[in-house]
Amino acid sequence: MSTGSALRRPPAWWTDAKLGILVHWGPSSVPAFAPVGPSPFALAEVHGWAHAFAHTPYAEWYENSLALADSPVARHHREHHDGETYDDFGTRFRAASAGWDPTWWTEPFAAAGARYLVITTKHHDGFCLWPTAHPTPHRRDWAATRDLIGDLAGATRAAGMRFGTYYSGGLDWTFGGLGIDSFAAMIAAIPRTEAYRDHAAAHVTELVERYRPDVLWNDIHFPHRPTVERLLAEYREAVPDGVVNDRFDLRGVAAGEVDVDFVTPEYASIPPDTERAWELCRGIGGSFGHNAAETADELLTGRELVHLLVEVVSQGGNLLLGVGPAADGSIPALQAQRLAELGAWMAVNAQAIHGTRPGDPVDGRPVTTTAADRYVFVLDPEPGAVVDVPGDGPVEVLGHGRLDDEPSRPGAVSVRLPSLPPTPAVVLRRRREG
């Protein structure tokens, strides 16, 4: 089979959504620390995987980084949390999250233009954010007592967004594997016992039965192909218009043997394969989970967020943007500011994002289209700049009205941009031909 043959055509709601939010939240939100720097993939390219794991900027990997002697996290832990174990962070997280209100998330996420939200129900540390009937046998009281997932699912849907569940099927450090210091060690750390297979499968079944997630987002891997096939079949029956990502079995997807909906490049904007639906995932900063060490310099600016969204959508992808709340569920101020800046731009220009498809660039400028309209993005616009716009109808700047135009070449006109308030991008809308 061809490389893209294991990919279904996602339902229209997912293809039209364009922007989702991925929340990492759990015990690692208590220490909220990782060394700031490039993505682990960029670190590995320059310094190798041993350095990348020891210096990963992913704060949600705190427990593994702590197990690596003399890593920045291990040094930080000795200085700031001497005498505490990672288990203690689970107790502190349960206490901190008791007063959390899910609308603290759903309101700013919806205002930013997100159409779906995915939450880490269980990350690699094995801590479950719902009161599971299948607790880990290797760590006592290692789950939320409050149904954080159920509360968020209800609030998310009430806000008009779709709800998704992230689950770490490939790593669960309560079953072993800590001290991952290479890519090979990460693969070796995937639990492959029947006990873990049954444990993880019971969790996925429980999540589907309790919350009917619109997105089933697995990470790293999921051991045992027949179990994956059974779980996905059961999910398709329970949620017919749900979507599944490629990380249950990357090799099976590549070989055309496992049926999923989209692929998930991480911290890298790749030229999309037109046969594949894709979703770029990355945090607002260098970490998915909350890293209190990150300053404004480590976070994407509002301008950069808009440009990234335009780049992804104009190439046919979705953007799954990572937000890392503090342990009490509050969104750190810098992340909240960036979301607000993205939302201010989307309030004017969302019609050029949601429900669109990629169009042919115009003089190198990104383009999206609908059945009726073409949208040309002018990034970092300069007042008075002249822009050619294909089409046969009037041209307008979204949010600012119609522009005067004059023919520039057959099938196109030139427009001069007016003086506008500073903005990361303006969008020119024109009726498509035909």
Side-chain angles (χ1 to χ4, degrees):
M1 293 185 177
S2 67
T3 300
S5 59
L7 288 160
R8 299 157 28 111
R9 183 180 296 275
W13 76 259
W14 185 89
T15 306
D16 290 344
K18 304 306 179 189
L19 177 62
I21 301 292
L22 174 61
V23 174
H24 279 63
W25 195 39
S28 64
S29 306
V30 174
F33 175 80
V36 298
S39 77
F41 310 101
L43 287 173
E45 285 185 7
V46 177
H47 303 288
W49 278 109
H51 180 91
F53 278 104
H55 294 80
T56 179
Y58 288 0
E60 62 276 12
W61 276 71
Y62 189 99
E63 186 178 18
N64 186 76
S65 300
L66 181 60
L68 300 176
D70 207 36
S71 70
V73 163
R75 295 194 297 271
H76 173 88
H77 191 88
R78 289 193 295 270
E79 181 177 351
H80 296 278
H81 302 284
D82 189 38
E84 285 189 284
T85 67
Y86 194 79
D87 289 26
D88 294 327
F89 295 148
T91 302
R92 290 176 60 182
F93 173 75
R94 278 195 299 271
S97 60
W100 164 72
D101 184 336
T103 62
W104 296 350
W105 300 355
T106 57
E107 290 177 358
F109 295 168
R115 291 287 181 85
Y116 59 105
L117 188 163
V118 181
I119 173 73
T120 50
T121 63
K122 185 204 83 170
H123 201 254
H124 309 330
D125 61 10
F127 187 95
C128 294
L129 268 64
W130 78 102
T132 177
H134 308 282
T136 176
H138 304 297
R139 191 173 293 181
R140 186 176 179 180
D141 297 328
W142 201 239
T145 51
R146 176 182 172 182
D147 189 359
L148 301 171
I149 300 304
D151 291 346
L152 182 59
T156 298
R157 288 165 171 149
M161 295 181 289
R162 298 273 185 155
F163 178 73
T165 53
Y166 165 113
Y167 184 83
S168 175
L171 293 177
D172 186 323
W173 294 325
T174 71
F175 282 77
L178 279 169
I180 296 170
D181 60 0
S182 68
F183 194 83
M186 185 178 73
I187 300 303
I190 297 172
R192 301 184 187 276
T193 64
E194 185 175 351
Y196 176 70
R197 177 200 315 164
D198 293 344
H199 175 76
H203 278 169
V204 173
T205 297
E206 190 175 31
L207 291 169
V208 171
E209 290 179 348
R210 291 184 66 156
Y211 309 116
R212 293 293 194 269
D214 301 290
V215 183
L216 196 64
W217 213 104
N218 188 70
D219 202 9
I220 304 293
H221 186 64
F222 201 101
H224 197 241
R225 174 77 63 78
T227 300
V228 170
E229 292 171 346
R230 173 179 64 81
L231 291 172
L232 297 191
E234 292 172 353
Y235 173 68
R236 303 286 189 197
E237 183 175 357
V239 188
D241 67 341
V243 292
V244 177
N245 77 329
D246 60 333
R247 298 191 187 187
F248 278 91
D249 187 338
L250 290 170
R251 289 184 179 180
V253 170
E257 298 167 354
V258 178
D259 185 25
V260 300
D261 293 278
F262 59 96
V263 299
T264 52
E266 182 171 325
Y267 274 90
S269 185
I270 62 170
D273 178 341
T274 56
E275 293 184 3
R276 292 172 173 260
W278 59 284
E279 174 190 77
L280 173 67
C281 61
R282 64 151 295 154
I284 295 177
S287 175
F288 285 100
H290 176 38
N291 183 3
E294 288 186 329
T295 68
D297 291 339
E298 281 80 47
L299 271 63
L300 294 175
T301 64
R303 169 185 172 273
E304 289 169 332
L305 271 179
V306 169
H307 287 195
L308 176 64
L309 179 62
V310 169
E311 177 189 9
V312 168
V313 172
S314 67
Q315 294 187 59
N318 283 13
L319 174 61
L320 187 63
L321 183 64
V323 173
D328 65 0
S330 60
I331 299 177
L334 288 174
Q335 295 184 53
Q337 178 187 27
R338 300 302 195 267
L339 290 170
E341 291 171 357
L342 176 60
W345 185 85
M346 286 288 282
V348 175
N349 300 290
Q351 66 176 275
I353 298 294
H354 295 143
T356 63
R357 301 295 181 267
D360 295 330
V362 173
D363 296 330
R365 295 186 172 92
V367 172
T368 61
T369 66
T370 65
D373 297 308
R374 173 183 281 107
Y375 299 97
V376 179
F377 295 84
V378 183
L379 306 181
D380 297 326
E382 296 182 3
V386 176
V387 181
D388 281 358
V389 183
D392 59 0
V395 178
E396 66 173 305
V397 177
L398 292 186
H400 300 280
R402 181 173 174 175
L403 298 177
D404 293 331
D405 57 62
E406 59 184 50
S408 62
R409 60 178 186 267
V413 296
S414 288
V415 296
R416 186 176 299 276
L417 298 183
S419 295
L420 299 169
T423 180
V426 297
V427 182
L428 305 181
R429 172 186 175 272
R430 194 174 194 194
R431 182 71 55 181
R432 295 182 67 187
E433 299 93 341

